[in-house]
Amino acid sequence: MTNGDEFGGNQSGEQPSGGDNPPSHDPHEGVEGFQAPTRPEDHSHPLADNNFDVGAFFEILKTTAMRLKDSPVLIAVIGLAAISLAWGLLAGTAQMFTAFIAGDAGAGAVGMLFWFLGVLLYPVMLGVTVLQATLYRPASQLMFDGSIEIASPIDLIKANLGLALPLALTMFLLFMVTGIGMLMCILPGIVAAVLFCQAPYLVAVRDVGVIDAFKQSMERTMAHWHIVAMVIGVNLMVGIAMSAITGCGSFITGFMGPLAYLAQPILSWVGTTTIVIVGFIVTIAGFGTIDELEGIDIMVQD
């Protein structure tokens, strides 16, 4: 990966020799649709200077999605999400067969039992979320370097397990700060969620300490508020759209009788996983763009 010290020079760190020697080719050119900056103060990037260019941002999103779609990173994210699907199918199948035998009352009792067990297993679901966040690192490497060495999704998860503890602490603190803010008339919680939203990314991708990640997240959000606004906006739009779709789907499954107990968790998982995947891609695209604007790295061109 490139770093801020390499901007403006060749990769070996030597000064150009001049004369008849042609300039060396820089493999770290911008992705299709925009010109990546070559130094922190370069304003050629279409999203520099707080330029609210939605079209340029969606070009970056498209590039990110294309690079991740066939990668082991996205397979690992979906594979981890499948754990909740397996649990939902187990509960749904038990309720469905109970409904055939004992009616909806019996299915409701089984549903309450699985709900209680789900509460006990909630830490497992939190662990899945943390493991998904550790995959920010290989996703970022794919964006900035163009490739990753590990091809197996399982090996990819194992290789990044060392990030799980600091990420878990970061996400816990983010939840606590946001939750306390929500109790203080809601608005402080929203402000905290926005200002500190980059903390998990910085811990996973940039090896920033937990406390420093919150500080840098606030500074980066204030400096590049337009990109954070677009990241949040895309996630909100997708969340609203999927809620509407799953809501309509739930209405339809209501006419399926006992089969609804099996169809509902599938529908819910598809909606939730879609939101997770989009959020993952938007996070890498948006916060990676901030890395570029900060002069930390440059996305390679295909």
Side-chain angles (χ1 to χ4, degrees):
M1 297 178 70
T2 61
N3 55 49
D5 293 336
E6 293 171 344
F7 295 155
N10 57 33
Q11 290 186 341
S12 65
E14 299 176 355
Q15 296 299 321
S17 59
D20 297 329
N21 293 330
S24 61
H25 173 67
D26 183 0
H28 299 291
E29 296 174 0
V31 299
E32 180 180 357
F34 73 92
Q35 179 182 355
T38 57
R39 54 188 182 277
E41 65 273 15
D42 188 352
H43 300 287
S44 62
H45 196 294
L47 294 173
D49 301 320
N50 297 126
N51 184 24
F52 207 97
D53 190 335
V54 177
F57 183 69
F58 272 92
E59 283 297 319
I60 300 171
L61 282 180
K62 183 174 73 173
T63 300
T64 305
M66 292 300 295
R67 289 186 180 176
L68 289 176
K69 71 180 182 70
D70 296 324
S71 72
V73 177
L74 212 55
I75 296 174
V77 172
I78 297 173
L80 288 168
I83 295 175
S84 63
L85 175 62
W87 177 255
L89 289 177
L90 177 62
T93 301
Q95 286 184 279
M96 181 183 67
F97 282 112
T98 303
F100 278 120
I101 298 172
D104 289 336
V110 172
M112 288 296 295
L113 174 61
F114 273 94
W115 176 85
F116 178 74
L117 293 175
V119 172
L120 296 179
L121 293 175
Y122 188 67
V124 175
M125 295 298 105
L126 292 179
V128 168
T129 301
V130 171
L131 290 179
Q132 287 174 328
T134 65
L135 296 172
Y136 287 157
R137 173 165 293 185
S140 176
Q141 291 173 346
L142 187 60
M143 285 303 299
F144 288 112
D145 292 346
S147 63
I148 51 178
E149 297 179 355
I150 302 175
S152 167
I154 295 178
D155 290 340
L156 200 62
I157 295 172
K158 292 179 180 178
N160 291 279
L161 281 176
L163 297 170
L165 184 58
L167 264 174
L169 178 58
T170 303
M171 296 169 76
F172 173 76
L173 290 177
L174 181 59
F175 172 78
M176 291 298 295
V177 171
T178 303
I180 293 173
M182 287 293 183
L183 294 176
M184 299 170 60
C185 301
I186 299 179
L187 183 59
I190 297 176
V191 172
V194 172
L195 289 177
F196 302 132
C197 64
Q198 297 182 66
Y201 172 87
L202 291 169
V203 170
V205 176
R206 298 299 167 194
D207 283 324
V208 179
V210 174
I211 301 302
D212 286 339
F214 282 86
K215 295 178 181 177
Q216 291 187 26
S217 176
M218 182 171 61
E219 294 169 356
R220 286 161 55 109
T221 299
M222 294 176 68
H224 307 286
W225 60 269
H226 61 308
I227 295 177
V228 176
M230 286 187 279
V231 167
I232 294 174
V234 171
N235 284 324
L236 281 177
M237 287 190 294
V238 172
I240 293 171
M242 292 311 303
S243 295
I245 292 172
T246 54
C248 293
S250 297
F251 176 77
I252 295 173
T253 58
F255 298 95
M256 296 175 61
L259 291 176
Y261 292 110
L262 190 59
Q264 183 58 42
I266 297 175
L267 180 65
S268 177
W269 181 83
V270 170
T272 302
T273 303
T274 300
I275 293 173
V276 169
I277 292 173
V278 172
F280 189 91
I281 294 172
V282 172
T283 294
I284 297 301
F287 299 161
T289 299
I290 293 178
D291 284 345
E292 280 200 313
L293 294 174
E294 290 284 307
I296 297 173
D297 234 325
I298 303 177
M299 295 182 187
V300 298
Q301 185 176 10
D302 292 328

